């Protein structure tokens, strides 16, 4: 049995948040977490990646569009479906929301049943666990890597990487905060057919770190296990 989809509701108005939670949990098929600000949402997703995010646009401090943009720029949430909830009837907000990566939207006041139907629809289109996020752009604190354009910059300065170093960085970033063994790196970055020593991985990681400068510290050596790209 697959676990219930987890829904993160980002809504500062408690009664509306409560209504959404009640509606989605009533059927017993979803597990809902509510946060009241964009800031709290960005923290919550790092603890547990939800299967879908319901995001109110009108939030204090960090507005929903900004939250949406940040979620889309992070590898962990780049592919998580986002459903925008807006009280604004202006078409431009909806268009902007969809432009920056929201999957769908509902306008307040909405019917709870309609909202539930929309959530089920975005969930059907694909759960992140089944198609792991392979974001094309990684934006970290120091590193900006465009894996499509094959370009990497550290603190705004472009750096030159060999193809292998680039592939190594890409694989580590795609699996950030997870320990990756040397064997796995060999298999994924060099390919099965390459009969090279695991020691070569260390040499390449060393060169990659050097080129990344201070940001190279984000690639940690985990003694006896391998490497981990930390954020
Ligand atoms: Ca609101």
């Amino acid at each position: 049995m697959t676990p219930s989809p987890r829904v993160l509701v980002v809504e500062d108005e408690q009664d509306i948040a409560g209504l959404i939670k009640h509606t989605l949990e009533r059927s017993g098929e979803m597990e809902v977490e509510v946060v009241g600000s964009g800031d709290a949402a960005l923290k919550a997703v790092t603890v547990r990646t939800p299967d879908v995010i319901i995001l109110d646009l009108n939030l204090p401090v960090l507005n929903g569009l900004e939250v949406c943009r940040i979620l889309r720029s992070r590898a962990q949430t780049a592919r998580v479906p986002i459903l925008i909830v807006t009280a604004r009837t202006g078409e431009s907000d909806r268009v902007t929301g969809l432009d920056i990566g929201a999957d769908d939207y509902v306008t307040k006041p909405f019917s709870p049943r309609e909202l539930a139907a929309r959530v089920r629809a975005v969930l059907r289109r694909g759960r992140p666990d089944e198609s792991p996020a392979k974001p094309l752009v990684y934006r970290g604190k120091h590193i900006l890597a465009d894996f499509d354009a094959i370009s990497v910059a550290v603190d705004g300065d472009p750096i030159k990487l060999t193809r292998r170093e680039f592939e190594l960085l890409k694989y580590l970033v795609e699996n950030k905060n997870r320990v990756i063994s040397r064997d796995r790196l060999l298999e994924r970055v060099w390919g099965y057919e390459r009969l090279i020593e695991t020691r070569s991985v260390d040499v390449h990681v060393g060169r990659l770190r050097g080129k990344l400068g201070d940001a190279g510290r984000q690639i940690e050596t985990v003694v006896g296990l391998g490497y981990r790209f930390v954020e």
Side-chain angles (χ1 to χ4, degrees):
M1 208 180 98
T2 52
S4 304
R6 293 192 306 274
V7 183
L8 178 67
V9 175
V10 191
E11 169 64 87
D12 59 315
E13 285 154 272
Q14 284 183 9
D15 50 345
I16 296 176
L19 174 67
I20 295 174
K21 183 175 164 71
H22 175 76
T23 304
L24 298 181
E25 285 188 338
R26 188 169 42 189
S27 57
E29 57 185 331
M30 295 181 210
E31 198 186 299
V32 180
E33 182 187 354
V34 174
V35 291
S37 72
D39 201 41
L42 296 175
K43 284 200 186 91
V45 295
T46 63
V47 178
R48 248 179 134 188
T49 309
D51 295 294
V52 60
I53 297 167
I54 298 178
L55 178 64
D56 181 34
L57 281 193
N58 192 11
L59 293 167
V61 193
L62 204 57
N63 74 45
L65 288 178
E66 288 165 326
V67 175
C68 185
R69 199 174 281 123
I70 294 167
L71 289 169
R72 280 292 172 258
S73 72
R74 290 186 181 176
Q76 199 187 2
T77 48
R79 297 272 179 98
V80 177
I82 298 176
L83 192 92
I84 280 177
V85 178
T86 173
R88 309 171 187 188
T89 46
E91 178 142 316
S92 65
D93 285 320
R94 275 173 291 178
V95 172
T96 308
L98 297 175
D99 274 352
I100 62 172
D103 295 84
D104 202 357
Y105 67 88
V106 287
T107 309
K108 287 179 189 171
F110 53 84
S111 112
R113 281 172 65 190
E114 184 199 348
L115 179 72
R118 298 263 186 135
V119 170
R120 279 194 290 270
V122 291
L123 281 169
R124 270 198 304 274
R125 281 180 225 150
R127 296 199 36 192
D129 291 347
E130 288 161 11
S131 51
K134 291 276 187 265
L136 292 173
V137 176
Y138 167 75
R139 262 187 211 90
K141 205 172 163 204
H142 301 285
I143 300 170
L144 173 63
D146 186 335
F147 296 121
D148 200 23
I150 314 188
S151 72
V152 178
V154 177
D155 293 325
D157 296 320
I159 57 166
K160 279 204 162 155
L161 298 180
T162 64
R163 176 158 191 95
R164 199 70 76 193
E165 288 159 354
F166 184 84
E167 292 295 329
L168 190 54
L169 177 66
K170 182 169 185 254
Y171 192 72
L172 288 168
V173 166
E174 281 173 351
N175 294 280
K176 67 181 175 180
N177 300 321
R178 283 167 57 189
V179 180
I180 310 294
S181 70
R182 290 174 176 79
D183 283 337
R184 184 146 184 95
L185 285 171
L186 273 180
E187 177 193 309
R188 290 311 182 93
V189 177
W190 277 262
Y192 289 101
E193 76 284 1
R194 291 290 187 115
L195 289 167
I196 66 157
E197 294 178 76
T198 49
R199 163 114 183 78
S200 301
V201 175
D202 302 354
V203 174
H204 278 83
V205 168
R207 285 200 201 121
L208 175 59
R209 273 194 188 125
K211 289 184 180 181
L212 293 173
D214 283 350
R217 281 189 222 134
Q218 285 184 260
I219 303 174
E220 289 182 352
T221 301
V222 183
V223 178
L225 291 173
Y227 293 99
R228 173 172 54 203
F229 183 87
V230 292
E231 191 176 58

